[in-house]
Amino acid sequence: MGQQMILHVTLLFLLLSLCEGQSSNPERPSCQSCDRHLSCDCTRGGFTHVPIVTDRALTLDLSFNNITTVTDDDLTGHVRLRALSLHGNRVAVIHPAAFDSLWSLEELDLSNNQLTSLNPEWFEELGALLRLNLLHNPYRCVGSTPEFRGLVRLRRLAFGGPALEEIKMAALSGVTELEALTVHANNLSRYESGALADVWPLGRVTLSLHGPFLTNVALASAVLGDVSYPETPIVLEDLHLIGNGSVQPLRAAARRRVRYLTFQNLSVSDEAIVGVLEILDGVPVTLFSLDGVTLTGEGRWEKASWADTSSMDEFFARNVVVLDVFKFVSFLQLKFLLQYPRKVSVINSRIFVIPCASTCLMSNLQYLDLTDNLLTDMTLVETLCDGNGTLKELRVLNISGNALKCLSTLSRLVVTLHKLTHLDISRTRYSSMPRTCSWPSTLRYLNISGAKLTTTTPCLPTTLEVLDLSNNDLQDFTVALPVLRELHLSGNKFLTLPPGGWFPNLQTLTVQSNTLNMFHRSDLQSYPRLQNLQAGQNKFVCTCDFVAFLQSSIKGDEDVRLTDGAESYVCDSPFYLQGEPVGQVYLSIVMCHRVLFVSLSCGVALFVGILVCVLLWRLHALWYLRMMWAWLRAKHSSRRRRRLRDGAGSEALLSFDAFVSYSEKDAGWVETFLVPELEEPREADEDSENRRAPRPLTLCLHKRDFLPGHWIMDNIMSAIERSRRTVFILSQNFVQSDWCRYELDFSHFWLFDEDIRGEPAILILLEPLSKDNVPKRFCKLRKLMSSTTYLEWPQEEERRGEFWRTLRNALKGEEDE
Ligand SMILES: *[C@@H]1O[C@H](CO)[C@@H](O)[C@H](O)[C@H]1NC(C)=O
Ligand SMILES: *[C@@H]1O[C@H](CO)[C@@H](O)[C@H](O)[C@H]1NC(C)=O
Ligand SMILES: *[C@@H]1O[C@H](CO)[C@@H](O)[C@H](O)[C@H]1NC(C)=O
Ligand SMILES: *[C@@H]1O[C@H](CO)[C@@H](O)[C@H](O)[C@H]1NC(C)=O
Ligand SMILES: *[C@@H]1O[C@H](CO)[C@@H](O)[C@H](O)[C@H]1NC(C)=O
Ligand SMILES: *[C@@H]1O[C@H](CO)[C@@H](O)[C@H](O)[C@H]1NC(C)=O
């Protein structure tokens, strides 16, 4: 016992030390989370080393782990890998040959790591690389060696971070053409002029030059000037423009005649804005965009009203915060800014009204987007000048995400906009519709998604080609829209598809996330021109019809294409299919052709039944059964009778000498010969020594002695019991012709059990009858015939005396002895 204990403890230690040995050994973990598109998501797995992933992986996302090193064989074999992300790790060391086997790599993200320098050898073999992100690493210099020389196909490059101090001449050498360049250089202090130049064509350039704009105008100007081209959208991030001085770097861009200028995360004073407007005087900037702007001033920009901004076609502002709203001056003074743009968006900027007077200034306006502001019905009336037809060029009005409630007010306001084609009133509070409304006859597009509509009325303009009613509370939609091409009904409460007859031109229908149970080919055929359907994310009842139809649609065998992907179609019921994609459900024949199956199995059952019946009939099973039943009953009543009798204590009730069992057809013989001979014996023959007449015997004949009204079987039983012997009159009739009678008689043999009576029956053969002539199923009779000697009825007159004597003797039996 003690020894065993010690053994166990030792084993345990052994195991423990083994485990420890394993964990101290830096063995690479593995990551199994690859989906069927071979995209491996190993984010936030706590990995400290690059995990082992299948060689076949196409994308590998290792972001937000604790990887510090990438060794030379961490990624060997990944020749098919297209995208690798190590974003948000602590990578400080990358072996020069670490990426050498990644010949197919198109996208590499090394951002937010601890790389203190960039090594050109990393990228030498990455000839296929299109996108490289090196942002937010603590390297201080780019371009001391031509880091990106090998990347001949590079199209998107991002580098820099808070530590970047220096950009040297070789930074972009070898890079000829870019779609996007991002440089974070808020702390840049040295720039070799021309380092970012000479890339052409150059797509969108995003620069963060917070520090240089404030402290080193020359440096900021040099950087900005090198990347500014008329076709290149320039995005300036994180600037803090306070005085006239801080905006001067923009002159470099203005000189290069930039046309698309965007500021992101900008804080700006009035003075700086005036400075910017002065700089942009006469510059063909067509898009001026502000995304995330804090205005510290009061809107006093009229000092720059002389500046020519007539080329400004589009003004876009989003997330504008005015620090001191109540001091902010009226838009009226900004006529010089408002009169030119054709496209104005002011999104999510707490605008609650644009005074009609300002609206009137926007004479060129074709597109107005005031999404996500604080407009109400009342202020909208002011903004649109009570529907007097200002903004007569307006084609698109987007007032989504405002607290608007009254659709008839809106309809009244826009009906005078005779060129209006697009109206976006999504995410508003239009919960009901008036019965009728009037709309500009040009209106083609209406978006009322995300309102609270519960019903629709013919208020909807019949000129619509695109109608979005998604995310409302609609249950049906029956408004005739003869030219409608696109109808969006997702996120409502539709139980069935709306009748297609209302939309003779409909080509695209989306009804995702409703309560549709199923739809059929016939439903879709009611839309004469439907081509695309998106109906996923519904609670589908996977019936055979539906599954078959959907699977053929997924295969593309139907006229209507399912454009939202087979995965969105999932069974909700029956229960055992819940969660199964409809495309992969297999329903058995039993499920799908139930009627056929039932009728077929009924047919088979019927056939088998008939076959069995025929077989039983052929084998006389019924007869056996009936006999068995009769025997059981008889046995039962016999037992009951015996009990009664025993209870009465009476001596044997033997009242007959013999019970005669015979076929009805042999009745003649019985009546003419047997009965007279045995019951009324004549004087014995003269020649007999004993002249005394034989004692008359009493016979039990069913015709005569059975009690009427009693069950025949009981009668037979009691007859047998009350008779000392049983005489069977056997003949062909007995065996063959008289079946019913024979059955009855035959049952005697069953009853003829040893426990009833010890003595064998007496068989009389009226005609020669071999045992073999008796049908096999009368086995008892056959047995009896072979075990008992039988008397044959002699045809010759002279032998009959002998016959009767023998019979009489047999009947008297031991009684006489
Ligand atoms: C990474 O390691 C540090 C310390 O070593 C730990 O605090 C942090 O939680 C780890 N991060 C992850 C994602 O495991
Ligand atoms: C910015 O650069 C200066 C030197 O030019 C350096 O001392 C400072 O640490 C840098 N800032 C950051 C955040 O790296
Ligand atoms: C916005 O810019 C300021 C500097 O002007 C910077 O400190 C801040 O982090 C930036 N915000 C974002 C969200 O980038
Ligand atoms: C801003 O400075 C530029 C030159 O540095 C000067 O020409 C311009 O007049 C100034 N603008 C204002 C409004 O002070
Ligand atoms: C309205 O603005 C939203 C948000 O900017 C945009 O998604 C939508 O497409 C715009 N609608 C139209 C008709 O331009
Ligand atoms: C309608 O507006 C919603 C929300 O503003 C937007 O998501 C949706 O794409 C728009 N519908 C169409 C058809 O443009």
Side-chain angles (χ1 to χ4, degrees):
M1 177 73 186
Q3 263 178 357
Q4 225 168 8
M5 191 74 155
I6 290 168
L7 194 75
H8 279 181
V9 171
T10 333
L11 266 174
L12 196 71
F13 268 109
L14 216 84
L15 272 174
L16 278 177
S17 57
L18 261 176
C19 295
E20 226 169 341
Q22 235 163 19
S23 70
S24 69
N25 183 12
E27 204 165 275
R28 284 172 63 195
S30 73
C31 166
Q32 310 288 348
S33 14
C34 301
D35 66 13
R36 60 201 174 88
H37 302 299
L38 292 169
S39 165
C40 305
D41 179 3
C42 306
T43 58
R44 298 177 206 275
F47 298 114
T48 50
H49 299 272
V50 175
I52 296 170
V53 179
T54 168
D55 279 356
R56 298 178 302 132
L58 295 181
T59 68
L60 173 56
D61 191 346
L62 291 167
S63 47
F64 304 108
N65 285 294
N66 257 347
I67 300 167
T68 51
T69 327
V70 184
T71 67
D72 55 346
D73 55 25
D74 276 351
L75 294 161
T76 47
H78 282 283
V79 289
R80 300 178 61 189
L81 198 65
R82 298 248 185 80
L84 171 64
S85 173
L86 282 159
H87 171 85
N89 280 277
R90 293 188 293 150
V91 179
V93 181
I94 297 178
H95 189 277
F99 304 137
D100 277 6
S101 57
L102 309 181
W103 304 321
S104 311
L105 199 68
E106 293 176 352
E107 180 168 354
L108 176 60
D109 188 346
L110 294 170
S111 57
N112 294 60
N113 278 293
Q114 300 296 326
L115 299 170
T116 51
S117 65
L118 300 179
N119 187 345
E121 288 178 64
W122 296 338
F123 311 121
E124 250 162 22
E125 304 295 328
L126 301 181
L129 201 69
L130 294 171
R131 293 181 285 276
L132 176 61
N133 188 346
L134 294 164
L135 289 175
H136 301 289
N137 277 283
Y139 49 83
R140 290 145 64 116
C141 178
V142 171
S144 48
T145 56
E147 285 95 350
F148 313 122
R149 165 157 285 167
L151 304 175
V152 289
R153 291 185 62 200
L154 197 66
R155 290 297 173 269
R156 287 168 182 267
L157 174 64
F159 65 87
L164 186 69
E165 290 168 14
E166 186 168 12
I167 297 177
K168 286 194 157 174
M169 204 55 204
L172 292 185
S173 79
V175 179
T176 54
E177 172 184 346
L178 286 176
E179 286 164 12
L181 172 67
T182 302
V183 180
H184 281 206
N186 284 329
N187 201 25
L188 195 71
S189 53
R190 288 183 297 282
Y191 176 75
E192 286 187 5
S193 209
L196 298 181
D198 301 328
V199 177
W200 179 258
L202 182 59
R204 187 182 175 91
V205 173
T206 305
L207 297 174
S208 300
L209 292 167
H210 178 82
F213 259 75
L214 285 177
T215 60
N216 195 339
V217 172
L219 187 144
S221 301
V223 176
L224 196 53
D226 277 354
V227 294
S228 293
Y229 299 94
E231 297 304 324
T232 300
I234 302 287
V235 181
L236 296 170
E237 288 185 336
D238 302 344
L239 295 185
H240 179 45
L241 304 180
I242 33 168
N244 188 19
S246 65
V247 300
Q248 295 312 314
L250 290 175
R251 280 191 194 281
R255 268 198 299 276
R256 304 283 297 260
R257 305 189 78 73
V258 293
R259 289 174 41 203
Y260 312 103
L261 193 56
T262 298
F263 291 90
Q264 272 175 12
N265 184 27
L266 170 74
S267 73
V268 64
S269 66
D270 280 349
E271 193 188 349
I273 286 187
V274 170
V276 170
L277 290 173
E278 281 177 6
I279 289 168
L280 295 187
D281 166 45
V283 177
V285 171
T286 56
L287 164 68
F288 190 76
S289 161
L290 301 168
D291 192 355
V293 179
T294 306
L295 295 179
T296 55
E298 298 170 0
R300 305 199 175 278
W301 312 330
E302 61 279 10
K303 263 188 275 173
S305 58
W306 57 268
D308 171 16
T309 54
S310 59
S311 60
M312 199 186 293
D313 197 46
E314 179 177 355
F315 175 73
F316 177 95
R318 183 164 57 190
N319 304 328
V320 177
V321 176
V322 178
L323 276 190
D324 203 345
V325 157
F326 297 105
K327 287 198 193 140
F328 204 75
V329 297
S330 137
F331 288 102
L332 276 178
Q333 302 164 15
L334 306 179
K335 180 176 195 302
F336 68 99
L337 280 181
L338 297 176
Q339 60 189 340
Y340 301 114
R342 286 185 298 149
K343 210 173 162 185
V344 169
S345 305
V346 184
I347 298 169
N348 192 24
S349 298
R350 298 173 167 267
I351 291 193
F352 53 88
V353 68
I354 298 177
C356 176
S358 304
T359 309
C360 290
L361 298 176
M362 301 196 250
S363 48
N364 267 331
L365 206 63
Q366 295 181 2
Y367 178 106
L368 179 59
D369 185 351
L370 295 173
T371 294
D372 292 324
N373 281 296
L374 303 174
L375 298 175
T376 62
D377 289 321
M378 214 173 66
T379 59
L380 188 67
V381 170
E382 171 64 21
T383 302
L384 294 179
C385 299
D386 201 17
N388 70 0
T390 17
L391 301 179
K392 53 181 180 301
E393 293 299 314
L394 200 67
R395 283 154 172 85
V396 179
L397 177 60
N398 191 345
I399 43 175
S400 61
N402 283 286
L404 304 166
K405 286 179 182 161
C406 182
L407 205 54
S408 51
T409 304
L410 177 75
S411 127
R412 181 173 62 80
L413 292 176
V414 300
V415 72
T416 50
L417 304 173
H418 295 301
K419 290 187 175 167
L420 195 70
T421 57
H422 286 59
L423 180 57
D424 190 339
I425 46 174
S426 56
R427 297 182 294 111
T428 46
R429 297 189 195 159
Y430 293 118
S431 56
S432 64
M433 274 188 188
R435 293 229 43 87
T436 55
C437 319
S438 42
W439 300 96
S441 61
T442 43
L443 201 60
R444 300 277 174 267
Y445 170 104
L446 181 62
N447 193 341
I448 324 185
S449 66
K452 297 266 181 303
L453 291 174
T454 51
T455 53
T456 49
T457 68
C459 162
L460 289 170
T462 53
T463 51
L464 288 182
E465 290 174 10
V466 178
L467 174 60
D468 193 337
L469 288 168
S470 317
N471 303 315
N472 282 291
D473 283 333
L474 299 175
Q475 288 176 356
D476 52 16
F477 182 56
T478 49
V479 176
L481 295 170
V483 292
L484 198 68
R485 285 185 291 108
E486 257 183 56
L487 178 59
H488 301 274
L489 298 171
S490 299
N492 281 289
K493 294 176 179 164
F494 283 83
L495 285 168
T496 54
L497 293 179
W502 298 95
F503 320 107
N505 264 305
L506 199 69
Q507 290 163 19
T508 300
L509 175 63
T510 62
V511 273
Q512 294 172 312
S513 308
N514 274 282
T515 43
L516 286 186
N517 287 148
M518 62 184 78
F519 50 89
H520 295 291
R521 190 174 287 118
S522 57
D523 295 327
L524 298 185
Q525 278 166 353
S526 74
Y527 296 85
R529 304 187 60 184
L530 192 66
Q531 289 167 3
N532 307 314
L533 175 68
Q534 301 189 359
Q537 279 105 35
N538 275 295
K539 304 229 173 278
F540 290 118
V541 176
C542 283
T543 60
C544 298
D545 276 1
F546 176 69
V547 168
F549 172 61
L550 209 80
Q551 289 183 349
S552 92
S553 299
I554 288 170
K555 273 195 234 130
D557 295 346
E558 302 290 329
D559 298 338
V560 176
R561 287 188 308 130
L562 300 176
T563 45
D564 52 349
E567 314 83 59
S568 5
Y569 296 82
V570 173
C571 296
D572 187 59
S573 68
F575 184 69
Y576 66 95
L577 289 177
Q578 203 169 41
E580 293 277 323
V582 183
Q584 288 163 31
V585 160
Y586 172 74
L587 291 175
S588 62
I589 298 171
V590 182
M591 294 277 312
C592 291
H593 303 279
R594 197 164 287 190
V595 172
L596 186 73
F597 183 75
V598 166
S599 25
L600 215 87
S601 35
C602 280
V604 168
L606 203 71
F607 179 72
V608 168
I610 290 172
L611 209 74
V612 166
C613 286
V614 167
L615 226 73
L616 288 180
W617 178 73
R618 286 298 298 255
L619 296 176
H620 307 282
L622 210 66
W623 185 87
Y624 279 112
L625 274 177
R626 271 171 62 190
M627 285 301 109
M628 186 61 104
W629 168 238
W631 179 75
L632 281 173
R633 251 188 94 174
K635 197 93 181 178
H636 178 74
S637 40
S638 140
R639 206 171 296 140
R640 202 183 56 217
R641 260 199 314 278
R642 215 168 333 147
R643 252 205 319 277
L644 278 175
R645 206 169 51 206
D646 292 353
S650 65
E651 226 297 276
L653 283 160
L654 292 175
S655 35
F656 299 104
D657 288 306
F659 169 59
V660 186
S661 172
Y662 57 96
S663 155
E664 201 57 54
K665 288 196 177 157
D666 297 327
W669 183 84
V670 171
E671 279 155 28
T672 35
F673 293 101
L674 187 75
V675 176
E677 185 60 39
L678 295 182
E679 292 201 335
E680 307 142 15
R682 286 168 288 128
E683 288 298 305
D685 298 342
E686 309 82 73
D687 56 331
S688 159
E689 328 90 71
N690 192 349
R691 301 203 135 250
R692 183 166 60 92
R695 182 179 71 80
L697 297 169
T698 46
L699 298 181
C700 176
L701 303 180
H702 68 92
K703 258 186 176 168
R704 192 180 66 190
D705 300 311
F706 277 11
L707 291 170
H710 277 201
W711 189 48
I712 189 83
M713 229 43 210
D714 280 347
N715 266 322
I716 292 170
M717 280 299 295
S718 91
I720 290 176
E721 278 168 0
R722 286 160 61 213
S723 311
R724 286 202 302 125
R725 307 294 292 264
T726 307
V727 178
F728 289 96
I729 314 296
L730 300 183
S731 67
Q732 284 301 331
N733 294 333
F734 192 100
V735 177
Q736 283 166 1
S737 39
D738 203 353
W739 284 105
C740 306
R741 178 79 193 118
Y742 186 73
E743 284 165 24
L744 274 178
D745 284 0
F746 183 67
S747 57
H748 305 177
F749 292 95
W750 287 90
L751 303 168
F752 198 73
D753 268 349
E754 256 45 48
D755 61 322
I756 298 179
R757 301 262 301 280
E759 294 152 66
I762 298 165
L763 305 181
I764 296 174
L765 259 63
L766 280 191
E767 51 202 17
L769 190 71
S770 132
K771 192 179 74 160
D772 301 327
N773 288 4
V774 179
K776 281 217 174 61
R777 63 182 185 277
F778 306 136
C779 55
K780 199 96 177 193
L781 176 59
R782 287 161 69 106
K783 212 163 105 194
L784 217 59
M785 280 178 78
S786 52
S787 69
T788 315
T789 46
Y790 35 80
L791 296 170
E792 279 190 59
W793 173 244
Q795 297 304 315
E796 306 87 10
E797 199 65 59
E798 52 277 19
R799 288 178 54 205
R800 287 187 183 160
E802 177 63 26
F803 170 82
W804 290 124
R805 243 190 320 279
T806 324
L807 177 60
R808 211 172 278 127
N809 284 341
L811 284 173
K812 283 184 191 153
E814 66 272 30
E815 178 205 36
D816 285 353
E817 288 148 30

